Each structure stands twice: as C-alpha cells, then as structure tokens.
Amino acid sequence: DAGITQSPRYKITETGRQVTLMCHQTWSHSYMFWYRQDLGHGLRLIYYSAAADITDKGEVPDGYVVSRSKTENFPLTLESATRSQTSVYFCAARVTGNTIYFGEGSWLTVV
Amino acid sequence: GQQLNQSPQSMFIQEGEDVSMNCTSSSIFNTWLWYKQDPGEGPVLLIALYKAGELTSNGRLTAQFGITRKDSFLNISASIPSDVGIYFCAGHKDRDDKIIFGKGTRLHILP
C-alpha cells in the first residue's frame, strides 16, 4: 500500500469549466505520476514529477496543468475541460526501485 | 506514442485453462512490470522483473524478463473466475524517469 488517495472519485463537469483532481500520498515518495485510461489506449502518461517543484510532460500533456509545491500533493488541473478529457485518471507514486503504485482513480465526465 | 505492444488484446478462456500473454518493444528496458486491474479500481502490481532472463512467480502467476530485454511474458496457470480483469505490462528504460504501459490484455473466463 503506497498510501495514495485521489479525490474526487467521481466528477461531472461542463465543457469549459476548470477542474482539479487531487492526489495525496501519506509517505514521502519522490516520483509521482498522472495517467489517463481510455478504452483502446491503455494507460497514458500525462505529467510526472521527480520532486517538489519539479514537473515534466508525459505523452499527452495538452490541456492539463500540474503543480507540486509539497512532496505529498500532486494536483492535476484541467484549465478548460473538453469532452475529449472524459476519462479515468490515475495518480501513482514510485515506491521502490522502478515499481509504481496507483491510487483508486478519479472518474471524470465532461458534458 | 506508446512503445509497448501487448498481445493479445483480449482472451476468452475456460476456467482451469492456462493463459499466456506478452509484451514486446523495439526498445530495451531495464525493468518490466505486470499489473492487474479489476473493474472500478486502480492497477495493482503483480510481478516486477529487474534482470534479463529472470523468471519470477507469484502464486499461479509466472512472468519472465526476455533475454533481449525487449520483451516480457506473463503466464497464469489453472485460471479461476477471480483472474478476470485487465492485465497491463509496463517497462522502465535506463536513465528515464517515465514508466510506459502497454494497452492491456482483457481476460474473460467462460463458466
């Protein structure tokens, strides 16, 4: 158990609205990741962070913003939500070696 | 884009049968990971592999790190209903912060 908590678990929002998905870890793992999961695409990396104040783009970063002011929090913000951002979002942390552990996911629907 | 080719995309098997799935890449990885995702939950780590040729078991699951370091295999013996889910392979390259996922293999078990 990597102690990763995501909130909200479920969210419905309107196109154009700003949405923030929260991710909190109870430990002090350095690396944290945001993935989105869509049918036919598997898990795609949006952004990741190597430490506080260090973030980098993944495979599909457009339309998303992240911050990491504290090691334990890694929020993901959709600045102006679009229907194509309807997805399941998973936060993860690297625990030991190169293994990562996931939170339970945030289901986002943009209408 | 994604660099891991996971196959098959889906499998329909009878309870009690053995299952094999694999993941290939044109790139060399120094870590291979296998995850299982149950409906409505985040992926859970099954097996981690760190050395070429390594063969590791976790109960009825056995995974291998390919000799070329460009592939990995997962076998499930004597499948049971709770094996249903999506299985993901993931890989980590040397000197890279990211962990890349395959698109998943969806396992269905027929009664």
Side-chain angles (χ1 to χ4, degrees), chain B residues 43-97:
Chain B
V44 174
L45 181 67
L46 297 173
I47 295 176
L49 303 159
Y50 298 106
K51 200 165 62 172
E54 180 181 355
L55 189 71
T56 298
S57 293
N58 178 2
R60 292 176 297 104
L61 278 62
T62 301
Q64 184 164 23
F65 193 137
I67 291 292
T68 65
R69 297 173 62 193
K70 294 182 179 180
D71 55 13
S72 181
F73 307 87
L74 177 69
N75 295 312
I76 306 172
S77 62
S79 58
I80 60 177
S82 61
D83 290 335
V84 165
I86 304 176
Y87 292 80
F88 290 101
C89 64
H92 176 264
K93 296 181 189 177
D94 195 23
R95 288 191 289 271
D96 190 348
D97 291 333

Side-chain angles (χ1 to χ4, degrees), chain A residues 54-76:
Chain A
I54 301 175
T55 62
D56 212 340
K57 295 178 180 179
E59 183 185 356
V60 289
D62 293 345
Y64 302 95
V65 174
V66 293
S67 61
R68 187 116 181 255
S69 57
K70 294 184 179 180
T71 301
E72 60 266 30
N73 296 321
F74 189 37
L76 176 73

Side-chain angles (χ1 to χ4, degrees), chain B residues 6 9-10 25 33 37 51 54 59 67 73 95 103:
Chain B
Q6 188 170 350
Q9 289 186 17
S10 64
S25 175
L33 308 168
Q37 184 181 28
K51 200 165 62 172
E54 180 181 355
I67 291 292
F73 307 87
R95 288 191 289 271
K103 293 186 179 181

Side-chain angles (χ1 to χ4, degrees), chain A residues 1-5 24-32 68 70-73 93-95 101:
Chain A
D1 180 11
I4 300 171
T5 304
H24 175 78
Q25 58 161 324
T26 55
W27 304 97
S28 298
H29 307 307
S30 295
Y31 281 88
M32 296 187 75
R68 187 116 181 255
K70 294 184 179 180
T71 301
E72 60 266 30
N73 296 321
R94 181 182 291 176
V95 177
Y101 289 81

Side-chain angles (χ1 to χ4, degrees), chain A residues 9-10 31 33 35 37 39-45 48 50 56-59 88 90 94 96-105 107, chain B residues 1-2 30-31 33 35 37 39-45 47-50 86 88 90 92-93 96-104 106:
Chain A
R9 292 292 315 279
Y10 304 95
Y31 281 88
F33 306 82
Y35 291 86
Q37 183 177 16
L39 199 62
H41 293 281
L43 291 157
R44 293 182 291 177
L45 182 63
Y48 63 101
D56 212 340
K57 295 178 180 179
E59 183 185 356
V88 185
F90 287 100
R94 181 182 291 176
T96 57
N98 295 321
T99 60
I100 64 172
Y101 289 81
F102 288 86
E104 293 184 322
W107 272 252
Chain B
Q2 283 188 326
N30 66 359
T31 301
L33 308 168
Y35 289 82
Q37 184 181 28
E41 299 183 11
V44 174
L45 181 67
I47 295 176
L49 303 159
Y50 298 106
I86 304 176
F88 290 101
H92 176 264
K93 296 181 189 177
D96 190 348
D97 291 333
K98 301 183 292 294
I99 293 173
I100 305 299
F101 282 78
K103 293 186 179 181
R106 190 178 291 269

